[in-house]
Amino acid sequence: MKTGIFICHCGHNIKHTVDVKKLSEYFKKLPNVTVSQDYVFVCSEPGQDMIKEAIEKEGLDRVIIASCTPSLHGEMFKDVLKKADLNPFLLRRVSIREHCAWVGNDVEINTEKAKRLILAGLYSVAHHVPLEEKIVDVKKSALVIGGGVSGLSAALFLSKMGMQVYLVEKEAKLGGHVRTLKNVWPGGRDGKSIIDEMVNELEGRENVEIFTSTSIDGFEGFFGNYEVTLNTPEGQKKVIAGGAIIAIGFSPFDPSIKPELNYGKDERIITTLEFEHNADTLHLPEKPRVAILHCVGSRDEQIGKAYCSRVCCVNALRVGDALKNKYKDSYVESFYMDVRAHPKGGEEFFEDTQEKGVLFTRANVAEIIPTSTGVMIRGEDTLFGETFERDFDLVVLSIGMSPPEDSKLIANLLKITLDKDQFFLEAHIKLRPFDTAVKGIFIAGSCSGPKDVEESINHGRASAVKLFGFLNLGYAYVDPFISIVDPKRCSGCRMCEQACVAKAIKYDETKRVVHVEEAACMGCGLCNATCPSSAITLKGYIDRMIDDEISAFMEAI
């Protein structure tokens, strides 16, 4: 057996706290290690070429890459092995960046730990066997959940590319929150006209089926062949989709959660959304005094919403700008923590608003108190360190974005994950920002985190491009790490069937044993751990691998 070990410096990320040269020299002395090299960036093109040349020149049949976490660059390194005519599943990744270099600053301790991790990988990779990815047929059809701007954008792209699209919206009308906006920043277009333009184009396409006032009751199957049960006004309907895009938007923050704001108890305390809808009907004096509160429902750890909603500052600026345009002699004061004028053009808009006379006060507002003559705001000026009390005719709360109401329901149905804030979690924030952990299911728009209208539209298109790439060929490759059942050992207890979150295990009533639908299996190993008869194993993994890895950690070096 000829093994090649390639150790990455990752610039200074690893090299700074791990002696990579010492590691490289140590492993050169071990039996079965034909190549042991370190390189500044193994993931770079020269680094990939170095690995490929070593495989071809030395006839390597196992490869270990000690670098960043295995979830990064996984497919790229597999491709390197494929180009060198080596089975990609004879690769072993070892994390010495996240697990060593970033843990502490003691070079000697980090290097010793990295040595043991690489040794464990060396012992384990000896048990790796060549595996082949399975090819499965996929339906060239897509389910888009949510009829807001993101969902409409995704559905339009997919339909234009010739794919059958099923668009599902729980409300009676398409468009979501954008439909209700009178002035979409920065273009100033009416939200309804944006939505109508997209809907009219979509309704004219033969390969699009739109379901409004519809919920999803069931989501079964596997990538390429998902069976979806829809609850429509006409009754239940089943559709088959190769993949899905979740674009269910967000829920506006409800300020009544914060009792000190007295929202809902006085009509002079409103939100930015209510100002957007009712700005023309507000009863204000000729020279009104208006307060605008930033970050209501955002950057607030006390209510579990520590994230920034991104759109709140611009919405607050828009309110101030609208008031100054309508009431030249108005007094408008914005109370903020920090002004984050997102996106492009926001900073210039911030400056223009100040020039129009809107006063910005960095403050921590403690409470809003309705009085007989107006609304009093009590708080602390955090720049001067002084408390204040000011009276206003109107208070506008710039509310943030909360996770969609149905996020938990959809997550459970589609077996995907939510983040700590209850938005949908992407597979990787930088490398796979549109994917989920489940193959063929993507997220779009503000259901994965706060976004403005332009971002949401682009996010929808990007997710559609990814899904189209998965389904366009009519077939796809599935990882070979799947469960297999030994029918001779299976007792038919069906405990594995209950444990399987992917519903990939089926019971054969005739043979009284279970079998695995390979295309549906996620390779999580839950069934393997649950089976009391040890009748289920996971391809590519055996107990001896774990035993040898533990031995590598424990033995003297």
Side-chain angles (χ1 to χ4, degrees), residues 75-125:
E75 295 303 317
M76 182 192 73
F77 285 125
K78 284 182 181 179
D79 287 339
V80 173
L81 268 66
K82 287 178 183 177
K83 290 174 183 176
D85 292 326
L86 183 63
N87 188 285
F89 297 100
L90 297 175
L91 166 70
R92 172 62 188 251
R93 299 285 306 284
V94 177
S95 173
I96 62 170
R97 187 180 72 174
E98 286 80 356
H99 289 171
C100 294
W102 287 357
V103 174
N105 295 318
D106 191 310
V107 175
E108 186 176 343
I109 292 175
N110 287 352
T111 304
E112 180 66 20
K113 183 180 179 182
K115 186 186 295 183
R116 291 183 180 274
L117 286 170
I118 297 172
L119 190 64
L122 181 62
Y123 285 10
S124 175
V125 80

Side-chain angles (χ1 to χ4, degrees), residues 360-374:
F360 287 84
T361 302
R362 195 172 190 273
N364 182 12
V365 174
E367 57 182 332
I368 302 173
I369 305 169
T371 66
S372 57
T373 57

Side-chain angles (χ1 to χ4, degrees), residues 143-147 151 166-169 216 219 244-248 410 414:
L143 174 72
V144 179
I145 308 172
Y166 304 106
L167 177 61
V168 178
E169 168 58 48
I216 298 176
F219 192 88
I245 294 175
I246 307 167
I248 60 175
I410 297 296
L414 276 63

Side-chain angles (χ1 to χ4, degrees), residues 125-145:
V125 80
H127 298 290
H128 284 206
V129 294
L131 298 172
E132 295 297 331
E133 292 175 311
K134 184 179 177 62
I135 298 178
V136 296
D137 292 330
V138 300
K139 299 289 184 183
K140 292 186 178 182
S141 59
L143 174 72
V144 179
I145 308 172

Side-chain angles (χ1 to χ4, degrees), residues 348-364:
E348 292 82 354
F349 187 40
F350 179 30
E351 292 175 5
D352 291 343
T353 308
Q354 291 178 85
E355 290 175 2
K356 288 184 178 180
V358 176
L359 177 65
F360 287 84
T361 302
R362 195 172 190 273
N364 182 12

Side-chain angles (χ1 to χ4, degrees), residues 33 136 341 350 412 420 441 519:
V33 177
V136 296
F350 179 30
N412 288 334
K420 62 183 178 62
I441 298 179

Side-chain angles (χ1 to χ4, degrees), residues 274-330:
E274 290 167 339
F275 182 88
E276 175 86 22
H277 300 158
N278 307 313
D280 297 333
T281 59
L282 292 174
H283 300 293
L284 293 173
E286 291 183 5
K287 299 179 180 180
R289 292 175 57 85
V290 181
I292 305 170
L293 269 62
H294 291 231
C295 298
V296 178
S298 301
R299 302 182 64 194
D300 190 340
E301 293 185 3
Q302 292 183 342
I303 59 172
K305 296 187 181 295
Y307 57 87
C308 171
S309 286
R310 298 167 59 112
V311 299
C312 315
C313 283
V314 163
N315 286 341
L317 295 175
R318 289 175 58 237
V319 171
D321 182 70
L323 287 165
K324 276 297 180 181
N325 288 338
K326 187 172 182 179
Y327 304 96
K328 300 295 182 184
D329 297 324
S330 60

